[in-house]
Structures are given as C-alpha cells and as structure tokens.
Amino acid sequence: MIPDGPDVSADAVLASCPDAIVAVDARMRVAVWNAAAERLFGWSAAETLGRPAPIVPGELLAEEHAVLERTRAGEPVSVLTRRLRRDGTAVDVRVDTGPLRTADGAPAGWLQVFRRDADHGELRSHAAERARLVRRLTDVAADINADLDLGAVLDRIARSLTELTGADAGGFALIEGDRLRLVSLSGLSEHLKGYTAPLESSLFGELLRSGRSVLLATDDTRSLDDLIWADLDGLHTIALGVSSVQGRPYGALYALYSGRRVGHVELELLELLAAHAGVALGNAMAYQEMVRRRAKEHAVVESSADGIAVLDGEGRVRKWNRAAAELTGVPAARAAGRPPPFPLPEGEGASVRHRLPGGRWLEILVTGISGTEERVVDFRDVTQAKELEEEKDLFMATAGHELRTPVTVVQGFAGTLVRRWEQLDDAARKDAVRTIAERSSVLARLVENLLLGSAAGGDLRVGAEAFDLRRLLEEAAGAFSSFSPRHTLCLEASEPLPAALGDPVATDVILGQLLENAFKYSPDGGRVRLRAGVDGGRLVVDVEDEGVGIAPGDEERIFGRFVQGEAGDRRRFGGIGLGLYIVRRLARAQGGDVTASARALGTRMRLTLHSAPPVGGPEAGGAGEGGVSVPGGLRPEPDEGPDQGC
C-alpha cells in the first residue's frame, strides 16, 4: 500500500503505471480500473466500475475461474492468455493474478496486472498446449457421453477425472435433499461408495454458497483429516467443481491429490470436465426418464380395461394392448401391420359404435398424436350399455302401452259421468264408478311397480323386525281367493309357524307380486298353491301354479329388469317386466331371497326369510311339534283356511 503524501498518492501511482491494473472484489465486480486498462481494453473506468469485467472470452472463463481459485491459497499465478477489447478484437496478454486483502488480512478479492505479450513463440507454445488439452478433454467428453446408463456414466466420469487432471483419486458426490452421497469413485476403496454426509457443512456446500464453480482446499488452509477423503494416504489438496443439470446443481466432482501440486490448469480442466459431466448426466437422466415413462405408459396401456391401439400414418396397427386382443378376439401378432378389425370415426373427437361378429358392441374413439401421423384408437365394450338402451326403449314402449289402457278407461267413464250424469240411472252410475275404481287400482299398481323398480336400482332400505308371517299369508290368500273364477287358491302352512325377521310391508309386496304372477301366467286356470314352512332353519314360502312355466335356462333371466317369463309373448300377458326384479331386491334386502324353478306343470317361486330369534317358548320362536323341516322340500299339513278342499 502506498501512503498518500503531499506530492504522491495511490491514485497517482495507479494512473501513472504503464501496466493495466484491474482489481475485482469477491463478487467479481471491478473495484479498480486504471488509465492503462482504459488504453489497453478501450472501456473507461466509469463503464466498468461495480460491474463484472467484460474482457474475458467465453471459452476462457473456466481458465479465469481456475486462476482465481488457485490464488486463494495465497500464491500469485501468471498465465499467458487472451483478452477482449471494446472493438471486439482480441489482445494477447500476460496476466499476473494475486489475492487482494483488507488491512486486517481478510480476503477481499483479486488484483490483476495485464501486459501485452510480444513473445509469439511462447504464445504459440501456450496455444499448442491448450489445443492438446482441448483434444484430450474432447476425447474424455466423448467417452463419458458414450453410455446412457446413469450408473455407467457416473463411473466413467470418476475414471476420466483422474485421467484428465492427474489426480491421485476422485469421486462424484450426488445431492440428495440436504445430504451428499458418494455414488462413484476412482483410486479409493470400494467400501466408501454410498457414504453420505450433510451438504451444509461439506466443501460442496461451501462452494455452492460462494457462487463459484470450482473450489480448492489444501492442508495449509484447513484440516482435511475429518473428511471421508482422508482414506487417501498423504492427502494434501482437494479440488472440486459443480456439475449442473438443466441449470441446477446436481453433484460435485472431487479431485484428490496426495503427490503433485495443483495448478490453475488442473482447476480449469476440472471445471470443464464438470460442465461436460453435467451434459452427460443430463442426457443419461433424460434417457432414463424416457425409459421410465415408456415403461409406465406400457404398464398403463396394458392394464387398461379399454382396448388401445396405435396406428401409423397408413392406418396399420403398431401397438395392440391386451384388452384389445380380449375385446376383439384378435391377438396382437395377427393385428400388427394390418388395419383394425372395425371401422374408425370420420373425425377426431367423434365416436362410432360397431357390433363385432360375436355380438359384442364397441364404442370407438380416435385421437391424433401431435407432431406425428400416428393415431391412438381407444375402444371399449358397451354391450351392457347397448342392451340397457334397448331395455329402456322397450320399457318406454311397454309402460306407455300398459298405462294407456287404464287411463283411457278411467278417462272415458269419467267423461261419460260428467256429460250424461242426468241421463244415467243409479245402477249405471255405480257400474261406471266401480269400473273407474278398478282401473285406478290397476293404474296405481303399475305406478307403484315403476317407483319400486326405480328405487330397486339403488340401495333399498327395509326394516328388520319380528312379524307374524302366518297373518300375512292369510291376508294375501284372502285378498286373492276371489281373484279369478278359473283358479283355486290353497294355503298350506305349518302350525305353528315361527315369526319372521324382516320387513312386513316389503314381504306383503313380495307375496302379492308372486300370487299375481301365478294367476297371470296360468291363463287357463288351475290350482295356485301357497305353502309355508321351515326348511334348514329358515322360513320358506312357495307359490306354485299350473301355468305356462319357465323356459329352461331362464330361471335367473326372469329376475332382470324389463324381463318377462314368457318373453316371446309380452302382449299376451302385459306388464312392464319389473315385478320379479323388485321382489328379489326386496327379499335380499331383508337377508332372504326369491328363486324360481320349473315344475312338471307350471312354476314354483320360492321366498326364503330369516326366522326371528326365540323369545319364549315354541309359540314365539320354534317350529313346534306341528312344524315341518324337510331338506328336500316342504310338506306342510293342510291349513284350515280359505283353501279347504285343495
């Protein structure tokens, strides 16, 4: 430091110095820019002070960083290099760089002295050496980029590090959250691989906080004994550089020296290698992500319940997933290279439905893949939906037909009463009102079935209480005993009959529907038998008729929505096909069931219910001495009720 005096000042010395002098602070901002620097580079002090110096060519930034880092140990560094002038030309200079310190000795930045270089021989030698190093670095970069497996790339980087920088050992540490993990190494014991350490207190953490790309640590400035790298005997210097992927720090290259001393050239090579390593890692990670994404897409496509096909620009199948093969019956090997076995929608976003030869309905959609001529075809099985649509159409037609008749009758007789009330006698009026009442009852039952059928599509809520099943049976038999003059209704029930556990209202609906069907599907008359007893610990009620019976194989089909037992003659029997669907849902909601079976003549419908737990004696819960429990079927004794003579 030159003290100011009456005749000489530090500013005067700087202004008079024939060499260009530039001082930068710890953040690389210009603090001093003398007159010789203005003359050499063309920028004035006003244009450079407080800003990074604009004189370092981009291809020499790594060299500059290496030189500055090397001087942090207190050793001045002199290099022959090239710098930029304001007019865009380059000038060959020798740069002497040393540390800049405050009055108390703390690091404050760097001081650089620039001189024009006139020794072209030395310059040519320097350029030749740089060209050799660049070729060597290019070969190393090509080597580490020769593999796309992430683990293999990391191993190549560690090997290339010692080869290029002359380090005795090295390694690559990966950032994982707030820790570092050693993932590859060279010249060190394999047991160190996988070692982790806190990022914050590591040399890498110090490097990241400094904002620089390289860091040099020596045993002259700090202790290296507490680091994992102390595994290397004679360790005296650690150099490390940041490897970034897509602009974010990903890991650090560590070069370890136990023999030779480290110069700025090694630091420059380390920084350049770290940059190339970041590129190689980015490529490997991108490839790994692509493989992972393709594997995920493959898993999604293969596990999809929809058929998925990928077509090329000519409409031929390139991809055919498992569901596609199952839905169409065409295996992937036979589908590949051919058009799909169904028509495609005319435009993107449209859909088309197609029926396959086997009767299955497909809904097909097509979407184009952006940037290619390929298209993705998604198709799914809509057979059930198609059948439901047909059932709904049939339901609407049938319901309209069934409702029209009683409504027309009620409307006609009501109109007659309004228009001709005075002309009709009492008997005619009563007949008209009776007809209106009867048809209104039919209409009410139809509406009730519609409502119950709608509710049965979801969860039915029924009660769970003990009730007198015998009383319900007697009331039902009494209500239907005069239902038809061509039929005879017989009630046969065990005596006494245990109490049932369930919902008496729901059970009454079930009994009414089963008896109505028994009369309805035996149009020629005959005997309808209503039997009840105990079978296998459960209450069983059978309704048997001598009617048209059930076609073989239809024992379950008749419990579907909008289905009738005699499907081929709907007009003959009428109805909307919801009755049995409703009664089964009501029975199962109580923990019971309704099943159907064919007889030699007619049909047997069986309702099963839980019996209520015994409360007192046999009258309350058991079958009693008169009860019948026969595994093969019910054989109750005749009941002394409205069915005498059955």
Side-chain angles (χ1 to χ4, degrees):
M1 179 179 292
I2 303 174
D4 291 344
D7 300 318
V8 180
S9 68
D11 290 339
V13 172
L14 290 172
S16 303
C17 183
D19 295 330
I21 297 177
V22 177
V24 295
D25 62 16
R27 298 175 64 184
M28 303 297 293
R29 297 172 305 186
V30 174
V32 174
W33 185 271
N34 73 345
E38 293 185 9
R39 292 192 298 271
L40 179 60
F41 300 118
W43 282 281
S44 67
E47 293 174 305
T48 58
L49 291 175
R51 299 181 178 89
I55 61 177
V56 183
E59 69 273 13
L60 296 178
L61 281 174
E63 177 190 68
E64 177 74 351
H65 294 162
V67 168
L68 297 180
E69 181 60 30
R70 188 69 186 88
T71 62
R72 289 176 62 84
E75 301 177 10
V77 176
S78 179
V79 297
L80 186 65
T81 186
R82 182 167 290 180
R83 290 294 181 261
L84 295 175
R85 293 172 53 84
R86 185 171 186 172
D87 61 7
T89 60
V91 58
D92 297 323
V93 294
R94 180 173 293 279
V95 185
D96 295 321
T97 305
L100 188 65
R101 302 186 183 279
T102 62
D104 58 1
W110 293 269
L111 180 67
Q112 294 185 311
V113 179
F114 298 86
R115 301 182 186 87
R116 282 181 179 273
D117 188 85
D119 188 348
H120 296 292
E122 186 178 353
L123 180 61
R124 283 194 298 271
S125 176
H126 176 75
E129 177 62 15
R130 286 196 61 82
R132 185 187 68 80
L133 291 175
V134 167
R135 287 195 300 271
R136 186 179 175 194
L137 179 64
T138 301
D139 292 341
V140 169
D143 180 64
I144 63 176
N145 279 284
D147 207 314
L148 288 174
D149 178 74
L150 186 58
V153 170
L154 290 169
D155 289 338
R156 286 174 181 261
I157 290 172
R159 290 196 305 270
S160 300
L161 171 66
T162 54
E163 174 193 341
L164 187 65
T165 65
D168 298 288
F172 188 89
L174 181 69
I175 299 175
E176 293 184 339
D178 60 352
R179 298 188 69 82
L180 285 175
R181 182 166 63 89
L182 183 59
V183 293
S184 65
L185 46 83
S186 176
L188 293 169
S189 175
E190 282 292 325
H191 79 273
L192 296 179
K193 186 178 287 188
Y195 174 85
T196 64
L199 173 63
E200 180 69 21
S201 58
S202 68
L203 291 175
F204 190 20
E206 180 182 339
L207 174 58
L208 292 178
R209 290 190 296 273
S210 73
R212 302 188 302 276
S213 55
V214 288
L215 176 69
L216 192 66
T218 68
D219 55 3
D220 295 332
T221 58
R222 69 187 76 198
S223 172
L224 305 179
D225 294 337
D226 58 340
L227 302 176
I228 183 177
W229 311 114
D231 184 69
L232 178 65
D233 292 337
L235 175 67
H236 60 72
T237 301
I238 299 175
L240 61 151
V242 181
S243 280
S244 297
V245 175
Q246 297 180 348
R248 300 184 62 181
Y250 181 75
L253 272 174
Y254 286 79
L256 312 178
Y257 296 88
S258 61
R260 59 180 290 184
R261 289 291 171 178
V262 182
H264 72 274
V265 174
E266 287 78 14
L267 284 177
E268 180 184 359
L269 290 172
L270 173 64
E271 183 176 8
L272 293 172
L273 178 61
H276 283 287
V279 174
L281 289 170
N283 292 339
M285 291 171 63
Y287 177 76
Q288 190 177 56
E289 175 63 19
M290 180 186 68
V291 172
R292 186 196 64 79
R293 188 183 300 115
R294 286 187 176 178
K296 180 179 179 181
E297 291 172 355
H298 178 77
V300 170
V301 168
E302 287 302 312
S303 63
S304 173
D306 285 6
I308 297 177
V310 178
L311 309 182
D312 62 18
E314 298 181 3
R316 295 172 301 194
V317 173
R318 294 186 60 245
K319 173 70 177 176
W320 191 256
N321 75 339
R322 177 185 52 80
E326 292 177 355
L327 289 174
T328 62
V330 179
R334 186 149 54 93
R338 301 179 181 179
F342 45 70
L344 300 178
E346 294 184 359
E348 189 169 331
S351 65
V352 65
R353 288 190 173 184
H354 174 72
R355 188 175 185 179
L356 296 174
R360 174 174 283 165
W361 282 91
L362 299 179
E363 183 175 39
I364 307 157
L365 302 94
V366 176
T367 303
I369 301 177
S370 177
T372 71
E373 296 183 351
E374 294 180 331
R375 290 174 293 170
V376 175
V377 181
D378 182 285
F379 50 99
R380 62 192 60 181
D381 186 349
V382 293
T383 305
Q384 287 187 337
K386 189 72 175 176
E387 290 175 350
L388 183 58
E389 284 182 9
E390 294 174 352
E391 287 180 353
K392 286 181 178 179
D393 292 342
L394 180 61
F395 163 71
M396 294 300 296
T398 305
H401 172 76
E402 294 294 327
L403 291 172
R404 185 183 298 114
T405 301
V407 168
T408 300
V409 172
V410 169
Q411 186 180 31
F413 275 92
T416 299
L417 290 175
V418 170
R419 292 190 305 270
R420 302 181 56 199
W421 179 268
E422 299 297 337
Q423 289 82 14
L424 297 175
D425 56 21
D426 287 344
R429 292 170 184 167
K430 288 181 179 179
D431 286 341
V433 171
R434 184 182 302 107
T435 300
I436 290 173
E438 291 174 352
R439 294 300 176 177
S440 296
S441 298
V442 173
L443 185 61
R445 285 197 301 273
L446 286 171
V447 172
E448 180 183 11
N449 277 353
L450 287 173
L451 293 175
L452 281 173
S454 174
D459 293 330
L460 290 172
R461 295 185 178 181
V462 298
E465 59 182 87
F467 65 91
D468 189 345
L469 178 61
R470 171 178 284 278
R471 182 179 61 81
L472 282 185
L473 293 171
E474 291 174 347
E475 290 177 354
F480 280 85
S481 60
S482 60
F483 192 81
S484 166
R486 297 190 303 274
H487 294 81
T488 301
L489 176 61
C490 305
L491 172 62
E492 303 172 3
S494 300
E495 185 66 50
L497 190 67
L501 179 64
D503 189 312
V505 175
T507 304
D508 186 54
V509 172
I510 295 171
L511 292 174
Q513 184 66 56
L514 295 181
L515 287 170
E516 182 179 337
N517 279 6
F519 283 87
K520 177 179 177 180
Y521 288 104
S522 52
D524 297 330
R527 183 170 59 178
V528 175
R529 186 186 300 271
L530 179 61
R531 302 195 305 158
V534 181
D535 189 4
R538 283 195 165 201
L539 292 174
V540 178
V541 178
D542 285 343
V543 178
E544 299 173 349
D545 63 58
E546 298 174 347
V548 298
I550 303 175
D554 278 359
E555 289 84 358
E556 285 298 315
R557 190 187 71 85
I558 61 174
F559 290 99
R561 278 209 242 191
F562 317 128
V563 175
Q564 289 187 324
E566 189 71 10
D569 198 0
R570 183 180 295 275
R571 290 184 179 179
R572 178 184 178 192
F573 296 105
I576 55 178
L578 282 172
L580 291 181
Y581 173 78
I582 292 169
V583 300
R584 171 170 275 188
R585 292 297 305 275
L586 289 173
R588 289 182 174 180
Q590 300 179 76
D593 202 358
V594 174
T595 56
S597 59
R599 304 172 62 222
L601 179 63
T603 305
R604 173 187 293 121
M605 304 299 296
R606 171 164 289 187
L607 165 66
T608 59
L609 293 171
H610 287 292
S611 59
V615 177
E619 293 289 333
E625 294 180 359
V628 179
S629 177
V630 182
L634 296 179
R635 293 197 299 272
E637 297 177 0
D639 180 78
E640 298 296 329
D643 59 329
Q644 290 182 5
C646 287

